Every structure is written in structure tokens, then in C-alpha cells.
Amino acid sequence: EATPFHPAFGATCQVAKILSVEMAALTMRTWLESCNQTHTSCQITTSRLPTRCLDISSNIIKLCEFPDGQAQDRNYVTMSHCWGKPDAEKPTTTTTENLNERKAGIAMEELSPIFRDAIQLCRLVGCGYIWIDSLCIIQDDDSDWIKQSRDMANIYSNAYFNIAATSHPNGSFSLFEVPSIHSRQSLPRREIEIIPDMGTRVLARNDCQRDHQFVQG
């Protein structure tokens, strides 16, 4: 704040070397507050819960069902994640065999690391429900898959926000783990002196044109 504004740069924020769940939650709360107050298009949604959601509002995580016409009006979060290659460790799933167990309660230790981080993030932001496809769709029930896939667009578009955990190949990684050297997010930062006499410094990462174009688009 003490550094005079320089016309070459617009408004920005510090890019941390390591992202923590606390830091992510703080940033997201700021974004969501701005969204709630100023983005009128974002408010044209319904908070009607999907057929199933994970209730993470208490210490006991439960898979809850909300039949058609009986869903409660609550905010929920969705999650996009990579399942991994066929020979990789599979994410935690719900099947016809363990459905009742999931409803009774899911121990945090049973969940994939990336799911645990997402739940912690949602709790810090203040959301008590999260929809994760591998847990909220019965994986070995074709009829349920057909029904839920038809509603997929509504499930994602009506969510409060979506966690896009797409930097890692599968769910065995932490959501906040530094990606490998081959990942697009591992580009090194460089420190650049812009105005030497004023002592102004800018921290920058190398441009990754393909991903930047994707995000901007």
C-alpha cells in the first residue's frame, strides 16, 4: 500500500509460493462476498440439493438422500476431479453394497486425500454440503447413473461454487500439494525489479499460453 500505483500494472494480489487450505478459504470468502453482492447473474439459481449430497456440517460425514420434491433449500458445493488411469488408485466410491454404510457415516480416513482437503475447504468457507460424483452416484447401478447424468448440468450450474481439482492425475494427491515438475502449475517464479530507484519488485511466473487462453476463454 505504501508503494505508489504504477500504470503498467492493474489491480492484483500476492501470489503465494505455497497455498494452504486456510489461505484458499480466505481468498474464496472474499470472492464469494463480492459475487453475492455484485453478480446478479450468479443469483439466478436454485439452491435445491441434488438427489444425494455429502452432509459435512458435523464431525460425522454422511451421504444424505433428497428424493424428488423433498430436497431442502441449502447451498452445496460441487467438485471436479481426475479419476486416474485404469491401473491407478481409484477414488472413494459409493456402490449398492456400501450405500447404507455411507448413509450411516463415512470416516475421514476412508476418503481420498483430495476429498478430505475439499471437505476441509468447504467447512472453512461455511458450506455444509458437497456433491462428488464418485460418492453421490451409485457406481454399479446403471439406472442411477442414467438418472444422475441427465441432471448433471443442473447439479453443477446450481452449485454455490465448484472445486476444480484438475492439477493432479488422481485423488491420491492433496488438493494443496505442489504439482510435479511436469505439471503446468509448477512453473518457477521470477523476481523482477521494475523501478530500481523506488525499490519496486514484481513476482511473476512464466507464461503458459495454452492454459491462460483456456481460463480467459
Side-chain angles (χ1 to χ4, degrees):
E1 293 181 357
T3 304
F5 175 77
H6 191 274
F9 299 95
T12 185
C13 60
Q14 173 72 17
V15 179
K17 290 183 178 180
I18 299 176
L19 183 66
S20 65
V21 63
E22 291 81 9
M23 188 182 303
L26 179 62
T27 301
M28 289 177 64
R29 284 197 297 268
T30 303
W31 289 345
L32 290 167
E33 182 179 355
S34 173
C35 181
N36 290 333
Q37 293 177 357
T38 62
H39 299 172
T40 54
S41 295
C42 294
Q43 296 163 15
I44 308 175
T45 60
T46 174
S47 55
R48 187 177 184 276
L49 290 172
T51 302
R52 298 181 197 88
C53 262
L54 292 174
D55 183 347
I56 58 173
S57 59
S58 65
N59 291 331
I60 301 175
I61 301 168
K62 293 182 179 181
L63 180 64
C64 295
E65 291 189 323
F66 304 94
D68 293 342
Q70 299 181 28
Q72 302 176 43
D73 290 331
R74 303 275 184 90
N75 282 332
Y76 66 93
V77 177
T78 53
M79 183 175 186
S80 302
H81 63 101
C82 299
W83 282 52
K85 297 181 179 180
D87 57 344
E89 182 179 345
K90 297 299 180 187
T92 316
T93 60
T94 294
T95 63
T96 52
E97 185 178 351
N98 64 23
L99 177 60
N100 289 330
E101 294 177 15
R102 299 285 188 241
K103 292 179 182 179
I106 307 172
M108 189 67 94
E109 294 74 24
E110 288 185 59
L111 297 173
S112 308
I114 211 161
F115 293 173
R116 296 199 294 264
D117 288 343
I119 289 172
Q120 186 182 7
L121 179 62
C122 289
R123 285 172 170 170
L124 288 175
V125 173
C127 292
Y129 288 96
I130 185 170
W131 184 92
I132 303 174
D133 56 356
S134 65
L135 284 163
C136 297
I137 299 176
I138 304 173
Q139 297 301 313
D140 58 349
D141 185 333
D142 291 342
S143 62
D144 190 61
W145 243 111
I146 292 171
K147 180 181 179 181
Q148 300 306 320
S149 61
R150 284 199 197 107
D151 199 36
M152 198 76 73
N154 289 327
I155 291 173
Y156 277 102
S157 63
N158 290 324
Y160 191 37
F161 60 86
N162 180 63
I163 299 174
T166 54
S167 295
H168 296 299
N170 56 62
S172 63
F173 296 86
S174 166
L175 188 62
F176 303 100
E177 185 175 343
V178 178
S180 69
I181 190 67
H182 302 292
S183 170
R184 60 181 178 272
Q185 293 190 7
S186 63
L187 297 172
R189 298 198 314 172
R190 292 184 298 164
E191 193 171 280
I192 308 170
E193 285 196 5
I194 302 299
I195 313 174
D197 59 328
M198 293 176 60
T200 303
R201 296 180 303 166
V202 172
L203 298 178
R205 284 194 174 97
N206 293 329
D207 179 41
C208 187
Q209 186 110 11
R210 180 180 65 85
D211 291 326
H212 287 179
Q213 287 179 342
F214 174 77
V215 172
Q216 291 169 0

